[in-house]
Amino acid sequence: MRKQIPEKLRVRLNRIKPAIEGVPNTVPNEMRTTFNFKGRKSPVIAERVLEAISDGTDMMYDPFMGSGSFVYAAMGKVKKIYATELDNYTFNAVSALMTKVDLSKLSELFDAVKKDVYGQIMSLYETSCCGCRNYISKVLFDPENGREGYFDPSSNREIVAGKNIKLLERCPVCGGKAKKFDQDDYEKLVSLEKINVERFPKKQYIVNSRINITSSTGADKYDRIFTQRNKIALLVLQDAINRLEPSDERDVLEQVLVASISLARIAMYGSSTDILYHVVGRGAQDMNVWLLFEEKYKNFCRFKTAYRHKQIGTTDSEVILVNKDYASYMKENPDWKVDMIYTDFPYTDQVPYLERNQLYRIWLEEFYDSKYALTEDMLKQEIVLTNADTRLEKREIQNYYKDIDTMFSHFHRVLKEDGLVFFTMKLGKAKYFKTYIEIVNLARKNGFEYAYQIGIEKKDPTVRKQSAFTNTLMNEMLVVFYKLPEKDRYWYMGNENYEFLLVKKVYSYLIRAKSYVTLSSAIALICNDLRSKYLYLPNEEDLVKINTLLQQYFKVDAGCIQVDNNQLYLDIEDTTDLYTKLYDLMPIFIRQLLDNKGKFVLEDVYFELVNALCDGNPKTIVQILEDENHQRDIEHLILNYCDRDGQYYVERKDIRKPNEDAVDISTLSGTDFEVLVQGLLKREGYENVIKMGGTGDLGVDIMASKRQQDRLHHYIFQCKRWASNVGSDPIQRLYAERMRRGLDYAVCVTTSGYTKDGKKVAVDLEVETIDGNQLMQRLNKYFPGEYYNGMKDI
């Protein structure tokens, strides 16, 4: 029961697919190797999207700037870019990257630091091989085993012949770049223990076991995961940077140092920077701090060179970056309006960035600037779901949903009419569809409608297995919401989508009715419901709204209201569950996806189901996603129409179409199928062919007569444009109605087939059945070449 999206907007959004098709969803190496940020998004994908939908005069806002991917993408593509970022560490790291600096001066400052402390730091890593001086680049050891952990570490693929020290230079004698840890190396470590490192931070982190910050291992203590040698090196390096005169270039060097910390700790052998707080007992690596710093510096320089044309002030786009919570910024600018919001959605699976970035922020606050402090306000303002014991309000999913509700409310206020919200999302498993349904519900509550979705997976989906559906759902997608005109907003009573409740109540009323229902009685039903359930007295404006909704979701003719077979009503029909009805509507979704996209992935089908179903209650879609039988049914149905091309589904090549314009009867809407059968009956000589189709028909879709042997025989027909086979229940209802009306014949017509029980009951009750194959034979006789049945298995 989605709101209609304007055709002009639909055309605009449909430009996205060809714009990004074939574009790899990857983060450029120059961006990925600078400061450590989890969850970067491809700026190239976003840039192509913005090129497709913007005319260059738009104002764009990214409320959750993060690593700045979307700001980079928008530079030169829109007129003005606003971006806010709550996390002070992330904001200042991105600012250092985006601010245009003097690369010559940056080089001079780096050289000054090197001249100041290079010798001192490298002496900490001095060693010898074959009597020749050398330097350690990496030590592989087992921290929990003390002295023996250096001399006899657990094996790994980098330790060959017991050589667990990686050397900076190749030994001039043996030619090797590795050596065994020896007594001199151990005495070096012992001597370093005498150096005072009291200044090294000892603060405690917010505990979060999900990112390995646990008090039981000591991982909640800042200095727990650093060796004495690396503590000394980091302090020496920091002191050298602090001796420089303040400047943007010095800020860059500071961010270089902080980015080096992630591997300057005792790291798990072969670990990435994602595992920041893990206390490693065995199989660890300890790396040369200067070498880490120098490599990060080169990475920053490569970034600055590669993105020299996308620094603030180098494009036609005005860029405004603000280190503030998005909601606070909006409240401070009540009259501010933008054309679009483009951001990364704060979904429940997101790592709490304020907690993850403690390693960097504590260092910066301690040694560089107090502006990096983590405040209580920041913790309250973050939209996240965390397991941290000290953040009780952020542990509850309902509080997360309240934050999302508030977010959409702010977005609605700041967006211009017809504004768009672009979200990148990751919905890796079925549970995230539950969250997505809540997101759609909250978007609708605040005046938005789902408008577009496309997968932008990092890995080529053609190489993934098309199995275990809920575990192979696409990692990343772009979802677009449209700001509805005020007159078209969903009607909510508190947190309940009353449009859904209204439709459900009227639908239930109609299917129980023994005769036709007047529009006025349906309106009275809703008014009474509002009074009894909410103590709300509808006014004249509400009466107009109720009437409009009834006209929208039902068939209204001559003052009477009927069920509209083209609508998906969220209730039961023909005693089947909602899944069966959804299943029967899936051929329509599949045909739309093939026509609109040419090929599609499994997520596209699920999203069509979700958005057709979404009423704020995820129960049904979750049942589908978690039931393996339902999943197999869906796969079987899709393969009726499609072949697999890797992960993609494409139209089956063996489908025999009479011609390109032929219509697939299995993907018609319910009403269109009734019209088709009505037309066929007329061509077959039936008289008085009247389409009923609606409440009050009691299972009868068409009534007709046919003259046989000078007598007019009376027929009733039931039309089932179904994907599943028709069972006994519709047959029994049709028979009962034939008897009630005293008619001669009852006929059930379907695009599919009949169950074993359905066939038996039809024979017993003398109800004629026409399946999809028989129907096609009759259609071909009178409408040759105009129709075909895409259902492979009938």
Side-chain angles (χ1 to χ4, degrees):
M1 299 182 186
R2 284 156 50 182
K3 301 291 186 180
Q4 289 297 313
I5 304 300
E7 183 61 26
K8 186 177 179 181
L9 173 60
R10 196 180 301 279
V11 170
R12 185 178 166 202
L13 292 174
N14 283 339
R15 298 179 198 146
I16 294 175
K17 180 179 178 289
I20 67 173
E21 201 161 29
V23 179
N25 183 12
T26 55
V27 178
N29 191 56
E30 296 88 354
M31 183 177 289
R32 184 172 48 81
T33 55
T34 54
F35 83 104
N36 300 309
F37 186 87
K38 186 175 176 62
R40 281 186 174 92
K41 299 299 181 288
S42 168
V44 180
I45 292 286
E47 185 175 329
R48 297 292 180 87
V49 171
L50 290 169
E51 284 176 348
I53 57 97
S54 176
D55 61 4
T57 63
D58 294 314
M59 289 194 292
M60 188 196 93
Y61 175 44
D62 183 352
F64 312 114
M65 178 179 71
S67 66
S69 296
F70 302 141
V71 176
Y72 285 114
M75 285 186 185
K77 307 302 176 186
V78 300
K79 181 179 179 181
K80 202 166 187 177
I81 305 163
Y82 296 90
T84 50
E85 173 55 45
L86 171 64
D87 180 18
N88 41 31
Y89 161 66
T90 300
F91 176 83
N92 285 286
V94 173
S95 295
L97 289 173
M98 287 188 181
T99 301
K100 189 175 181 181
V101 298
D102 185 334
L103 291 179
S104 296
K105 182 177 178 181
L106 181 62
S107 178
E108 289 174 7
L109 293 185
F110 176 79
D111 289 342
V113 170
K114 186 171 184 177
K115 182 179 179 181
D116 190 2
V117 298
Y118 176 77
Q120 183 181 356
I121 293 176
M122 291 304 289
S123 69
L124 300 172
Y125 301 91
E126 187 175 334
T127 188
S128 63
C129 183
C130 301
C132 299
R133 185 170 66 177
N134 212 317
Y135 296 94
I136 296 170
S137 65
K138 182 195 298 185
V139 180
L140 302 170
F141 71 119
D142 296 333
E144 66 183 17
N145 290 350
R147 181 180 185 277
E148 290 306 311
Y150 284 97
F151 283 97
D152 187 24
S154 55
S155 62
N156 66 57
R157 65 176 179 270
E158 277 202 37
I159 300 177
V160 180
K163 297 177 180 180
N164 60 320
I165 288 182
K166 303 302 174 181
L167 300 172
L168 177 61
E169 303 291 345
R170 192 173 297 279
C171 177
V173 176
C174 69
K177 285 205 71 175
K179 58 161 279 189
K180 286 185 177 181
F181 187 91
D182 58 30
Q183 185 62 30
D184 288 341
D185 295 314
Y186 183 69
E187 289 176 3
K188 179 78 172 181
L189 293 183
V190 172
S191 68
L192 294 178
E193 291 297 327
K194 300 174 185 178
I195 298 177
N196 190 323
V197 290
E198 281 299 314
R199 292 189 298 134
F200 202 85
K202 296 180 179 60
K203 288 188 176 180
Q204 283 189 283
Y205 299 126
I206 296 171
V207 171
N208 184 328
S209 60
R210 189 165 159 229
I211 53 176
N212 295 309
I213 307 179
T214 53
S215 57
S216 61
T217 61
D220 60 333
K221 296 179 177 61
Y222 192 94
D223 63 342
R224 173 69 174 81
I225 54 176
F226 293 89
T227 62
Q228 175 77 356
R229 173 160 43 200
N230 284 12
K231 289 178 183 178
I232 297 167
L234 288 167
L235 289 171
V236 168
L237 193 48
Q238 181 64 65
D239 290 342
I241 292 174
N242 282 351
R243 285 192 285 269
L244 300 173
E245 289 294 322
S247 65
D248 290 337
E249 291 74 17
R250 188 183 78 158
D251 289 344
V252 171
L253 280 188
E254 181 65 21
Q255 293 299 337
V256 170
L257 168 60
V258 173
S260 305
I261 293 176
S262 60
L263 286 177
R265 72 199 194 285
I266 301 171
M268 182 184 299
Y269 163 70
S271 74
S272 69
T273 55
D274 286 346
I275 311 171
L276 291 177
Y277 302 99
H278 192 82
V279 176
V280 185
R282 299 169 63 82
Q285 63 183 24
D286 191 19
M287 303 181 74
N288 185 311
V289 166
W290 177 264
L291 298 182
L292 291 172
F293 176 72
E294 187 171 46
E295 182 59 31
K296 277 294 177 186
Y297 167 73
K298 292 176 182 177
N299 291 342
F300 270 68
C301 289
R302 279 193 285 267
F303 176 88
K304 285 289 188 181
T305 301
Y307 283 81
R308 61 186 179 278
H309 301 307
K310 284 210 170 186
Q311 301 281 284
I312 294 175
T314 62
T315 69
D316 294 335
S317 301
E318 182 182 353
V319 181
I320 299 171
L321 308 182
V322 182
N323 183 196
K324 188 167 287 189
D325 166 51
Y326 85 99
S328 301
Y329 185 68
M330 288 183 178
K331 289 175 183 176
E332 292 170 7
N333 299 274
D335 300 323
W336 175 51
K337 296 287 182 183
V338 297
D339 300 282
M340 70 180 77
I341 291 170
Y342 202 126
T343 195
D344 194 16
F345 195 88
Y347 42 85
T348 57
D349 191 38
Q350 176 175 292
V351 172
Y353 289 115
L354 295 179
E355 294 168 38
R356 183 181 184 272
N357 292 337
Q358 291 176 94
L359 179 71
Y360 314 117
R361 188 184 298 104
I362 287 175
W363 184 274
L364 286 162
E365 181 189 4
E366 184 97 4
F367 295 115
Y368 202 66
D369 198 321
S370 60
K371 70 184 179 184
Y372 289 99
L374 178 58
T375 67
E376 285 299 320
D377 280 345
M378 291 169 63
L379 290 168
K380 289 177 182 177
Q381 291 161 347
E382 186 180 23
I383 302 177
V384 76
L385 199 65
T386 177
N387 70 353
D389 290 335
T390 56
R391 303 182 69 185
L392 295 178
E393 76 284 357
K394 298 297 181 181
R395 290 170 60 94
E396 300 296 327
I397 188 69
Q398 291 307 318
N399 288 334
Y400 166 81
Y401 290 139
K402 286 179 183 177
D403 287 342
I404 298 300
D405 189 3
T406 301
M407 179 192 76
F408 274 116
S409 175
H410 285 304
F411 284 4
H412 187 273
R413 185 189 60 75
V414 78
L415 277 171
K416 296 178 182 178
E417 292 301 314
D418 299 330
L420 297 173
V421 182
F422 293 80
F423 288 124
T424 56
M425 286 187 179
K426 289 185 179 180
L427 299 172
K429 292 183 183 253
K431 66 178 180 179
Y432 300 130
F433 271 95
K434 302 176 192 178
T435 300
Y436 177 71
I437 290 174
E438 296 289 355
I439 291 167
V440 172
N441 183 48
L442 292 170
R444 288 173 170 173
K445 175 186 175 184
N446 287 284
F448 292 95
E449 179 58 289
Y450 158 84
Y452 186 80
Q453 172 263 325
I454 188 169
I456 48 173
E457 190 177 14
K458 281 184 167 57
K459 295 180 181 178
D460 182 358
T462 61
V463 303
R464 284 190 313 168
K465 292 181 180 179
Q466 185 77 356
S467 61
F469 290 137
T470 58
N471 293 316
T472 58
L473 293 174
M474 184 170 290
N475 261 343
E476 196 168 327
M477 60 196 67
L478 179 70
V479 179
V480 186
F481 289 93
Y482 162 66
K483 180 179 176 179
L484 292 165
E486 202 62 28
K487 64 180 180 62
D488 293 333
R489 287 187 65 156
Y490 283 91
W491 187 9
Y492 272 73
M493 297 297 291
N495 289 321
E496 292 187 301
N497 183 346
Y498 193 70
E499 285 195 21
F500 162 71
L501 297 176
L502 176 152
V503 173
K504 184 174 182 179
K505 192 165 193 68
V506 172
Y507 176 78
S508 299
Y509 179 50
L510 292 177
I511 63 172
R512 291 195 307 268
K514 300 298 183 183
S515 59
Y516 286 104
V517 174
T518 64
L519 177 62
S520 58
S521 64
I523 293 174
L525 176 74
I526 296 305
C527 290
N528 290 334
D529 185 58
L530 287 168
R531 280 191 286 265
S532 62
K533 188 172 184 179
Y534 304 101
L535 302 179
Y536 180 78
L537 296 176
N539 55 34
E540 288 299 320
E541 186 177 330
D542 294 325
L543 293 175
V544 172
K545 185 184 296 185
I546 294 168
N547 183 69
T548 301
L549 290 171
L550 292 175
Q551 299 272 355
Q552 179 181 349
Y553 292 122
F554 298 93
K555 290 170 61 177
V556 178
D557 185 34
C560 291
I561 183 170
Q562 301 177 356
V563 169
D564 183 348
N565 287 336
N566 289 320
Q567 296 282 0
L568 174 60
Y569 297 106
L570 307 182
D571 213 303
I572 56 175
E573 184 179 48
D574 291 334
T575 71
T576 59
D577 62 16
L578 179 57
Y579 167 72
T580 302
K581 187 167 186 182
L582 282 168
Y583 182 80
D584 288 327
L585 286 170
M586 279 188 61
I588 298 176
F589 300 150
I590 293 168
R591 173 48 52 195
Q592 289 172 347
L593 288 168
L594 288 172
D595 290 345
N596 295 335
K597 297 188 174 186
K599 60 182 181 179
F600 62 89
V601 291
L602 182 67
E603 291 88 327
D604 295 320
V605 178
Y606 281 132
F607 265 81
E608 289 300 323
L609 291 178
V610 167
N611 286 292
L613 172 69
C614 184
D615 62 339
N617 180 1
K619 181 179 177 181
T620 301
I621 193 66
V622 169
Q623 288 175 342
I624 293 172
L625 289 167
E626 293 181 349
D627 189 311
E628 292 184 2
N629 292 325
H630 286 344
Q631 293 173 32
R632 281 194 291 269
D633 289 346
I634 289 172
E635 179 188 25
H636 180 76
L637 179 59
I638 295 173
L639 290 175
N640 266 280
Y641 296 91
C642 302
D643 290 324
R644 286 197 189 120
D645 180 8
Q647 170 73 1
Y648 288 110
Y649 288 113
V650 297
E651 189 163 19
R652 273 178 40 221
K653 295 183 177 65
D654 62 343
I655 292 180
R656 295 179 182 177
K657 291 184 183 181
N659 56 71
E660 283 303 311
D661 296 326
V663 175
D664 183 356
I665 63 170
S666 72
T667 62
L668 292 173
S669 69
T671 297
D672 288 343
F673 182 56
E674 291 170 10
V675 171
L676 173 63
V677 174
Q678 181 185 27
L680 175 62
L681 294 176
K682 288 179 179 179
R683 295 294 293 270
E684 290 183 332
Y686 286 85
E687 304 174 23
N688 305 317
V689 183
I690 302 170
K691 192 171 79 68
M692 309 288 285
T695 307
D697 62 26
L698 298 176
V700 177
D701 297 314
I702 296 173
M703 295 186 67
S705 303
K706 197 170 188 179
R707 191 168 298 278
Q708 299 176 17
Q709 299 175 347
D710 297 327
R711 178 173 175 268
L712 200 61
H713 293 258
H714 300 285
Y715 291 74
I716 53 174
F717 294 83
Q718 190 171 57
C719 303
K720 295 293 185 187
R721 202 290 301 140
W722 279 12
S724 53
N725 289 331
V726 179
S728 60
D729 285 342
I731 303 295
Q732 290 171 339
R733 287 180 56 186
L734 190 59
Y735 167 76
E737 188 58 16
R738 188 196 89 188
M739 298 301 293
R740 187 181 74 83
R741 294 175 185 255
L743 303 178
D744 300 300
Y745 298 102
V747 184
C748 185
V749 185
T750 183
T751 53
S752 58
Y754 295 87
T755 66
K756 184 178 180 180
D757 191 41
K759 291 176 182 178
K760 181 180 184 303
V761 169
V763 171
D764 292 344
L765 299 180
E766 297 183 338
V767 172
E768 182 183 351
T769 57
I770 300 173
D771 66 22
N773 289 328
Q774 295 165 332
L775 177 61
M776 278 307 309
Q777 292 174 9
R778 294 167 73 159
L779 287 170
N780 286 334
K781 180 178 179 179
Y782 294 100
F783 306 99
E786 294 186 32
Y787 299 97
Y788 71 99
N789 191 342
M791 284 288 291
K792 183 169 63 174
D793 299 325
I794 298 175

